[in-house]
Amino acid sequence: MSRPLPWRERKKKLWNLLNLSTSPNVADEEGRGIDRLVLSKQEHAQSTELDNLRFTNRDLSNFGALAHGPFGTVDMVRCRLDNRLYVRKSVEKRVVARNASVWSILSTQH
């Protein structure tokens, strides 16, 4: 597997793709730019490039499961971008779909 681009390089490419300055003044400016790109149905090459810049599982190396439960798995992972260890909780989509009302209540409590 090839090593992903460093995060700073990804940010620069993202800002170029969105026609933003090298340091947006407002954090939401980046989000609005992404929304404009996605919603405007830009050419396929731009949406593919945007997908390649996203943070995904390819940016993590898995050290193994710490715990398994009825709602998902907790893993220890190392981020390839900053080399730090993190804990990631994964929930299966079918579990969320089956328990949609429970998830909505839990998310409003925190």
Side-chain angles (χ1 to χ4, degrees), residues 57-85:
N57 282 333
R58 74 176 185 264
D59 299 311
L60 303 170
S61 58
N62 196 350
F63 280 95
L66 296 175
H68 296 284
F71 292 109
T73 303
V74 177
D75 297 310
M76 181 177 288
V77 296
R78 182 176 301 276
C79 178
R80 291 186 172 110
L81 304 173
D82 64 8
N83 210 30
R84 291 185 180 170
L85 290 174

Side-chain angles (χ1 to χ4, degrees), residues 5-19:
L5 285 174
W7 185 241
R8 288 176 199 236
E9 285 184 43
R10 283 191 198 178
K11 286 295 244 188
K12 287 179 187 176
K13 285 185 173 220
L14 177 63
W15 292 338
N16 288 335
L17 183 65
L18 301 175
N19 296 319

Side-chain angles (χ1 to χ4, degrees), residues 7 10 13-14 17 49-55 58:
W7 185 241
R10 283 191 198 178
K13 285 185 173 220
L14 177 63
L17 183 65
E49 187 175 353
L50 181 62
D51 286 342
N52 291 335
L53 296 173
R54 293 178 191 267
F55 184 86
R58 74 176 185 264

Side-chain angles (χ1 to χ4, degrees), residues 36-108:
R36 273 192 307 273
L37 180 67
V38 170
L39 296 174
S40 69
K41 298 182 172 131
Q42 293 284 334
E43 58 186 73
H44 181 70
Q46 285 183 316
S47 62
T48 301
E49 187 175 353
L50 181 62
D51 286 342
N52 291 335
L53 296 173
R54 293 178 191 267
F55 184 86
T56 64
N57 282 333
R58 74 176 185 264
D59 299 311
L60 303 170
S61 58
N62 196 350
F63 280 95
L66 296 175
H68 296 284
F71 292 109
T73 303
V74 177
D75 297 310
M76 181 177 288
V77 296
R78 182 176 301 276
C79 178
R80 291 186 172 110
L81 304 173
D82 64 8
N83 210 30
R84 291 185 180 170
L85 290 174
Y86 293 92
V87 174
R88 173 184 60 186
K89 182 174 183 179
S90 305
V91 180
E92 294 180 20
K93 287 182 183 180
R94 65 181 172 82
V95 172
V96 174
R98 193 174 44 218
N99 300 295
S101 60
V102 173
W103 287 103
S104 112
I105 292 168
L106 289 173
S107 66
T108 59

